[in-house]
Amino acid sequence: MSLDYVKFTPGFERFMPKEYRDMVEHGPFGKKVTVSQMGSFKEILEEHPMCAGCAMTLFIRLAIISFPNPEDTITVGTAGCGRLAISQAAIPFVYGNYGDQNGVASGLSRGLRLRFGDKPKDVVVLAGDGGMADIGFSCTLHSWFRREKFTTIMLDNEVYGNTGGQESGMTTRGAVLKMAPLGKKFDKMDMIGMAKIAGCAYVATVVPNNPRRVESVIKKAVLIAREVGPTYIQAYTSCNIEYAIPTDKVMEDAKTVEDDRYKFTEYVSDEAKEYLADRYGYKTFLPQPTAAVKET
Ligand SMILES: Cc1ncc(C[n+]2csc(CCOP(=O)(O)OP(=O)(O)O)c2C)c(N)n1
Ligand code: SF4
């Protein structure tokens, strides 16, 4: 985990596979790339076996491009569709039992801090709504209550996509799915509210059809998790298969859902605001001068 693992051993350049040479020469490691430059550099995640048009894949690509230091980042995941793509990425991916991702990430993050001290090594959990809010719920919540310093990103497709359409706690009330034919009887879980109560220093909701916004929230979440506390991003990443969304309408659906019930929200704790402003120059978080009171 450093720039060294994406460098050639002198004298071996020409023996390396083309994919590897491309990654070293045209990849994002050690450079600052942005989502606006997509298509002009070799991405850490390019090939994957997910369904055509899957919004989750687009979101994962955007998220990985947005990592502030990809060469110093470890992703953690679990069973579910997302791992099929994340495990193809050219950065380390830790895969445990279904639902234990925030427990694994807690140990990993602590271990990396002991081993590398002040040099930031970012730990980012990327997992589905079932893995995070259902079977992994206690691991998720307890990691936040313990104020573990890493980022948790929910790939919220509002269904168990990988196993063919069971309802999850994040499915909306009334939704009819292949394996929930009578419609879900309970409300979508308020993981955003729970993240705030449990002590996350940064909490945001986002959809993938606004790449610059995705980039902005991922960067802030990862930077804050380095020193301030846990951060949580909940991303609407529709499952076009289980919700029968035509491939060419996936982004349209994301926009409709965003306008309707998945609006962009961002919560930044005061400590996190101060940290982002002081350490990383986020001027919007600097205290604003109060307007002079006009004397009458
Ligand atoms: C302990 C355990 N129970 C069940 C499974 C089967 N399983 C694999 S993926 C999955 C559901 C995934 O749903 P979600 O976490 O929402 O992710 P998605 O596939 O929708 O992205 C289940 C139940 C498993 N792998 N391990
Ligand atoms: S089943 Fe759904 S979430 Fe999974 S890869 Fe296919 S479209 Fe994406």
Side-chain angles (χ1 to χ4, degrees), residues 49-57 81 84 157 159 161-162 237-242:
M50 292 174 77
C51 302
C54 175
M56 190 184 290
T57 326
C81 287
L84 301 171
N157 60 1
V159 65
N162 201 208
T237 54
S238 67
C239 175
N240 43 318
I241 298 297
E242 295 306 332

Side-chain angles (χ1 to χ4, degrees), residues 56 79-83 98 128-131 135 157 159-163:
M56 190 184 290
C81 287
R83 52 79 196 253
Y98 189 44
D129 44 300
I135 195 162
N157 60 1
V159 65
Y160 289 13
N162 201 208
T163 39

